[in-house]
Amino acid sequence: LKSTEVQGQFLQSVLLRFPSAFRGRSRRPSANPAAPPAAMAATGDLSSGAHPTATFPNAHLAHAGGAAMNADKNPESRGANPTAAFPNAHLARGDAPSAAAAGAQTALGASNWSPPVASAHRPLEQLQEAVAQEDWARNYAEGKTKMQAQAAWSAGPERCSMLQCLATMNKASRVLEVGSFCGAAALAVAEAIPKNGEVVALELEPFFVEFGQKFRSRSQAGSKISTIVGPAADSLKELQSKASSGALQPFDLVIIDGDKASMKEYFDLVWSSSGLLSSKAVVCLDTTPFKGQVPTRYVRFGQAERWEAPSGEEEIAGLRAAVAAAPEFVSHEFGGLLVVQRSQQQDEPRRATLAPSAKAEPEPEARSARRGRGRGDR
């Protein structure tokens, strides 16, 4: 018979019709019995999971006349064992660690059996590890990137958890990210928003987008992310045009983590665009100073100490002061993020633009009026 299942059923029918022929053998205890899969699992013989013979279509191999036939002294009297031929030949393989356990483990292949195990790391964690292990200096030297990136640019576990918390607390479903790098923060936020949500990421470097694409494709939340490659200012103006015409739904959460010199420009574009932000929108600004890298030419000629890296601290301080001075905004800073939201005192949200000079102090009358209003509100 060619069918393995038919063979097993045939052997069982033989045992049922001629029990006397095997009565003596079945009652005689075996020195090395072939334990059924359930017993082997109970005694710890199996590493993990169910054995192949414990489920369909190989369940009949664990019955009488199946795998136990390997212990028969005269196998020719019962025909070929089902585990001796394809597709169940792998069940009879396996090197037993000792002669005492050779019968049971070899018969069922327990020594080689291990069920499939899913990866312990999520795609987000895999992406973060890949960014940390990547040689970004070599990519820049080979011309793959237009700028020499650093692994520290990627959002770490703490930053990702913080952004997920903000998205959940504000019930955000549409998120805009300005400056995505390889997309760790975008992927983290995509995991926190609803199934019908969307994350629009803006990134200048095509290589960064391609680097993170394979990890986004592994995640169920990766389909929520769409990336626009190009200068952030041009992309924001394009989104502004779509939002004004009603072709784009407003965003509930905006993350600005681009170049520090253009942060104020991005901030103004976001708040001044009609229809780009929802009424409950929250804008997060990264306030981590940029740790610039010494250009190769300075290192080559031994003058690395003469090059000063623009850290962006001046731009960050100016933007922080401008937001604090604007009465239409309420801001909080924690974990390297400046979180800005419209003030609840504003009855009708209006287009907000920061003052040209971030360091300029307000007029004395206006400052005293705001101070008096604050005391009255408290």
Side-chain angles (χ1 to χ4, degrees):
L1 297 176
K2 296 182 178 180
S3 173
T4 306
E5 185 174 0
V6 175
Q7 291 180 9
Q9 295 176 355
F10 172 75
L11 294 173
Q12 293 181 27
S13 63
V14 171
L15 291 175
L16 294 175
R17 295 182 61 183
F18 305 100
S20 58
F22 306 95
R23 185 175 302 168
R25 182 178 300 154
S26 60
R27 292 182 178 180
R28 184 171 58 251
S30 175
N32 189 13
M40 295 182 65
T43 57
D45 292 338
L46 297 179
S47 57
S48 62
H51 194 269
T53 58
T55 57
F56 180 84
N58 299 319
H60 62 280
L61 301 178
H63 299 163
M69 291 180 61
N70 289 336
D72 194 354
K73 296 181 180 180
N74 186 15
E76 296 182 356
S77 62
R78 299 187 186 180
N81 188 65
T83 60
F86 180 83
N88 300 317
H90 64 281
L91 300 178
R93 294 199 307 264
D95 299 329
S98 61
Q105 291 191 354
T106 304
L108 295 178
S111 59
N112 285 350
W113 167 248
S114 181
V117 179
S119 175
H121 300 284
R122 298 184 304 164
L124 175 58
E125 297 173 352
Q126 295 175 359
L127 174 58
Q128 293 172 339
E129 293 178 0
V131 171
Q133 298 173 2
E134 183 68 15
D135 191 349
W136 296 106
R138 180 178 180 179
N139 293 333
Y140 176 72
E142 294 178 354
K144 295 181 179 180
T145 60
K146 301 176 183 178
M147 63 190 75
Q148 184 169 340
Q150 299 180 4
W153 292 4
S154 180
E158 182 178 354
R159 172 62 63 86
C160 290
S161 299
M162 191 179 305
L163 294 175
Q164 288 177 336
C165 181
L166 288 172
T168 303
M169 290 176 58
N170 293 277
K171 299 180 180 180
S173 60
R174 290 182 53 78
V175 182
L176 173 63
E177 183 185 25
V178 182
S180 183
F181 191 37
C182 295
L187 185 56
V189 175
E191 294 178 353
I193 62 177
K195 294 182 179 180
N196 59 346
E198 182 182 9
V199 178
V200 179
L202 311 183
E203 177 53 49
L204 175 65
E205 184 61 62
F207 181 82
F208 299 159
V209 179
E210 296 175 0
F211 185 89
Q213 177 58 38
K214 59 182 178 181
F215 299 97
R216 290 192 295 271
S217 61
R218 298 174 186 175
S219 174
Q220 296 181 356
S223 58
K224 305 176 187 178
I225 305 173
S226 59
T227 307
I228 302 176
V229 181
D234 297 341
S235 301
L236 284 174
K237 293 177 182 178
E238 182 180 353
L239 294 176
Q240 180 183 17
S241 177
K242 292 182 179 180
S244 300
S245 62
L248 182 70
Q249 296 181 2
F251 294 99
D252 306 313
L253 176 65
V254 179
I255 306 168
I256 300 179
D257 191 7
D259 56 310
K260 300 301 181 278
S262 303
M263 285 182 61
K264 182 178 181 299
E265 179 184 2
Y266 302 152
F267 187 86
D268 289 341
L269 282 173
V270 167
W271 283 108
S272 62
S273 301
S274 176
L276 189 61
L277 300 180
S278 64
S279 58
K280 62 177 182 179
V282 175
V283 178
C284 302
L285 299 162
D286 178 69
T287 58
T288 305
F290 172 71
K291 298 181 180 180
Q293 295 177 332
V294 181
T296 307
R297 61 181 182 275
Y298 281 81
V299 179
R300 185 181 303 170
F301 294 100
Q303 298 182 357
E305 68 280 355
R306 299 185 59 181
W307 184 80
E308 295 182 1
S311 62
E313 292 184 0
E314 184 177 354
E315 290 80 0
I316 294 172
L319 181 59
R320 185 186 292 115
V323 171
E328 62 268 22
F329 293 133
V330 176
S331 62
H332 305 277
E333 188 170 357
F334 53 89
L337 285 177
L338 180 62
V339 182
V340 184
Q341 194 173 17
R342 286 191 181 96
S343 174
Q344 296 181 358
Q345 297 177 0
Q346 300 293 328
D347 296 334
E348 295 182 359
R350 62 184 180 87
R351 297 184 181 182
T353 305
L354 296 182
S357 177
K359 296 182 180 180
E361 291 291 334
E363 296 296 331
E365 296 181 358
R367 185 168 61 251
S368 61
R370 281 201 302 274
R371 188 181 298 112
R373 184 174 65 245
R375 286 197 298 269
D377 293 341
R378 287 194 294 270

